[in-house]
Amino acid sequence: MAQIEGLPGQDNRPKYARPASSMAPKYFELLEQNSHIIYPALGLLALGLVIIGIIQAWRSQDMDGLTKNEFKRAIVNELRSNLSGLPGDVLARAIGLERLKTMKLLEQMQQEGMISSYMSSNRMMVWRVRGTGNERKDARY
């Protein structure tokens, strides 16, 4: 009886055996056999390192308390010399601090009640020391 080709279990091809070679170290086999574990673990490790780097960069952007107070003092001195107020960009250049950090400090100082702000006619936020100019006084009952 003739064998029908293509049926399962009826394969007459010779079995392939991988030859022993010095070019195929064991760790390649380890990687191939456990790739479903190793590569996702390496991906998570890389993601973790990126997140740690972002957090470290974010923390390094913050100033310590002494530096903040020195810049706040410089801002108040600049605003006292210009009672009508100054825009944030001008203040940043005057005290020598980055614009975004200066704006962050100005907003913090406004929340603390040290300075106030208003929108000028050319749609620019102007900052000034609290108590100067024609501010609206609180109504007292």
Side-chain angles (χ1 to χ4, degrees), residues 33-54:
Q33 291 172 355
N34 299 316
S35 64
H36 64 285
I37 297 171
I38 294 173
Y39 292 122
L42 287 175
L44 288 175
L45 178 68
L47 182 65
L49 290 174
V50 168
I51 290 173
I52 289 172
I54 290 171

Side-chain angles (χ1 to χ4, degrees), residues 1 14 29 42 54 67 88 90 101 140:
M1 188 165 144
E29 292 176 14
L42 287 175
I54 290 171
T67 308
V90 175
K101 288 183 179 180
R140 299 189 187 216

Side-chain angles (χ1 to χ4, degrees), residues 72-85:
K72 284 180 182 181
R73 184 178 302 120
I75 288 172
V76 169
N77 289 339
E78 283 295 319
L79 291 176
R80 283 182 181 162
S81 65
N82 297 302
L83 292 177
S84 60

Side-chain angles (χ1 to χ4, degrees), residues 11 16 26 47 60 65 69 74 89 93 99 109 114 116:
D11 193 8
Y16 176 76
K26 297 253 187 235
L47 182 65
S60 69
N69 285 337
D89 295 338
R93 274 185 262 126
R99 191 175 136 249
M109 291 171 70
M114 296 172 67
S116 62

